[in-house]
Amino acid sequence: MLICTTEGKQFDGQEGQSILDAALASDLVFEYSCKNGQCGVCKTTLLKGDVVEMQAQLALTDQERRDHKILTCCCAATTNIEVDAADLSALHGIEIKTLPARVSRVSYLSENIVEVKLRLPPTAHFQFIEGQYLDVMWKAIRRSYSIANISSDKEITLLIKRFENGQMSDYWFNKIQSNDLLRIEGPKGTFFLRDVGKPLVFLATGTGIAPIKSILNCLEYDADYQQKHPITVYWGNRFADEFVWQADFRKLKVDFYNVLSRPVADWLGDVGYVQDIALTNQQDIGDVAVYACGSNAMIQSAKKRFLAAGLPENKFYSDAFVQSF
Ligand SMILES: Cc1cc2nc3c(=O)[nH]c(=O)nc-3n(C[C@H](O)[C@H](O)[C@H](O)COP(=O)(O)OP(=O)(O)OC[C@H]3O[C@@H](n4cnc5c(N)ncnc54)[C@H](O)[C@@H]3O)c2cc1C
Ligand code: FES
């Protein structure tokens, strides 16, 4: 047994177990999203001790490696270690469960986007914070999907994009039947709303709008939430028929920009990349909080550019829809 320490709190590390999993097993929650080295959300500094890389730390630069940065989802301790990862107390007590889930409704919202509703057993008590994701397991395939509904809803809603030759896409778009039995594991991830006392900027591409829909609907129905700052959403898609959600809030005031990546005739919205439009529009970048979800390319570009424009690094939150290995 190895002793791992962060913020003065100790947790046990097992040989061959990632530091992130070791922390989660001890009821500490560090920032994470993809769990496979691609998104960089779990990046932290190794302050003491040694680790071994169990899967490639793709999101680390050479300079970051020299600066003793590690990805907690990819590294296991080989000695007692100390890291500087923050423990997210908001997620304490939220248990990750594996549950059966029945397909209750399938709606094809466009040629390449399907909305799937899943029914959990009545005794499941599946708790999550709006913005989190879950894994869906069908046969031997496991894929991650953000939860698009709010936690008080009875069913789970997923918004799923078709990938050419995708194994799970083949199930969602060709094979799925109402009442099919799947398994889910979750909730997972740390993409949830903090900083309600700041102007909020949401960036989404494609079905990356799913957790943002959940977060905004949660604010809309939260009787205690009084909006004091602007909320702006920039949602990018390649095709006009992919804007499958029309935000309709009564209480929330949200400036919503639908952005097409390429110009087409009769399009009245913006054209370009969401991060470019957001940076052009946004005032006082040093004082906002940015939540970005969808393609890793958009997220990495948005992070680089917002940070260069003065956004503090700890005010950029992201959930990258990277490919599963
Ligand atoms: C935390 C997280 C949350 C996610 N939430 C959602 C969600 O809410 N909705 C949603 O539609 N998807 C989401 N995804 C992506 C999803 O998990 C799958 O990766 C995606 O649906 C493709 O699965 P597939 O089995 O159809 O394709 P695969 O069989 O895995 O791959 C088929 C082909 O598509 C390419 N490909 C696969 N995935 C990607 C990708 N993400 N980006 C670029 N190319 C890819 C592969 O290179 C391959 O050529 C999420 C991913 C993560 C990590
Ligand atoms: S790189 Fe570790 S969670 Fe994505």
Side-chain angles (χ1 to χ4, degrees):
M1 190 89 74
L2 300 161
I3 299 170
C4 307
T5 314
T6 193
E7 297 181 326
K9 299 175 192 167
Q10 285 192 352
F11 58 103
D12 295 334
Q14 307 284 350
E15 204 177 306
Q17 182 186 36
S18 75
I19 298 164
L20 176 63
D21 283 341
L24 291 171
S26 303
D27 294 328
L28 297 186
V29 188
F30 297 168
E31 293 273 5
Y32 75 96
S33 177
C34 73
K35 289 189 95 179
N36 62 26
Q38 295 180 78
C39 73
V41 166
C42 68
K43 193 188 309 171
T44 189
T45 309
L46 180 65
L47 300 171
K48 275 189 199 153
D50 292 315
V51 297
V52 61
E53 190 177 86
M54 298 194 314
Q55 52 179 342
Q57 301 184 84
L58 300 170
L60 280 190
T61 62
D62 291 344
Q63 184 57 47
E64 286 171 333
R65 284 169 193 270
R66 286 194 287 276
D67 292 342
H68 305 286
K69 298 286 181 199
I70 57 166
L71 300 180
T72 61
C73 72
C74 295
C75 295
T78 53
T79 63
N80 292 345
I81 60 163
E82 186 176 343
V83 291
D84 75 347
D87 176 28
L88 301 174
S89 55
L91 291 175
H92 284 184
I94 295 198
E95 199 188 331
I96 299 178
K97 297 181 176 178
T98 304
L99 295 165
R102 289 228 177 249
V103 173
S104 81
R105 191 139 56 93
V106 182
S107 316
Y108 293 94
L109 305 181
S110 78
E111 195 187 337
N112 291 317
I113 299 174
V114 62
E115 181 189 78
V116 176
K117 289 198 183 279
L118 300 176
R119 195 171 57 243
L120 302 180
T123 53
H125 304 302
F126 182 73
Q127 272 187 296
F128 66 93
I129 297 190
E130 286 75 9
Q132 290 192 282
Y133 72 89
L134 48 72
D135 285 352
V136 175
M137 290 158 294
W138 176 70
K139 298 193 172 171
I141 307 170
R142 173 194 283 261
R143 295 287 183 268
S144 304
Y145 297 100
S146 295
I147 304 168
N149 56 290
I150 56 173
S151 51
S152 53
D153 286 344
K154 289 211 171 76
E155 294 188 322
I156 298 286
T157 304
L158 307 177
L159 272 183
I160 298 166
K161 178 184 160 190
R162 184 207 303 259
F163 274 86
E164 203 64 38
N165 302 319
Q167 289 184 66
M168 205 60 194
S169 294
D170 184 40
Y171 170 73
W172 299 122
F173 287 85
N174 301 320
K175 299 198 165 80
I176 193 168
Q177 303 274 341
S178 189
N179 232 26
D180 274 359
L181 185 62
L182 306 171
R183 277 184 311 135
I184 63 154
E185 187 181 280
K188 297 187 174 187
T190 55
F191 188 71
F192 64 91
L193 189 61
R194 307 143 217 204
D195 304 309
V196 278
K198 281 182 170 294
L200 300 174
V201 176
F202 292 93
L203 307 175
T205 53
T207 43
I209 199 68
I212 293 171
K213 175 174 185 260
S214 172
I215 289 170
L216 293 176
N217 277 327
C218 176
L219 290 180
E220 168 79 1
Y221 295 112
D222 179 351
D224 295 333
Y225 175 69
Q226 304 284 334
Q227 182 175 353
K228 297 204 174 85
H229 300 279
I231 299 177
T232 317
V233 179
Y234 298 89
W235 183 17
N237 275 305
R238 286 172 75 188
F239 303 104
D241 71 346
E242 291 172 341
F243 292 98
V244 293
W245 176 49
Q246 305 300 324
D248 181 20
F249 298 113
R250 284 169 191 208
K251 188 180 94 177
L252 278 193
K253 287 194 178 54
V254 180
D255 288 322
F256 217 100
Y257 293 82
N258 284 348
V259 183
L260 262 194
S261 50
R262 296 173 216 165
V264 291
D266 302 331
W267 175 252
L268 299 174
D270 288 283
V271 176
Y273 292 120
V274 284
Q275 63 274 31
D276 296 341
I277 314 260
L279 277 156
T280 308
N281 285 2
Q282 205 58 48
Q283 308 288 313
D284 300 328
I285 286 171
D287 193 39
V288 304
V290 177
Y291 292 77
C293 186
S295 84
N296 206 21
M298 178 276 282
I299 289 170
Q300 299 311 329
S301 160
K303 183 169 185 181
K304 201 167 156 191
R305 299 198 42 209
F306 268 90
L307 265 48
L311 181 77
E313 187 164 12
N314 65 357
K315 292 292 169 251
F316 186 92
Y317 306 98
S318 62
D319 216 19
F321 285 5
V322 295
Q323 191 185 348
S324 304
F325 289 134

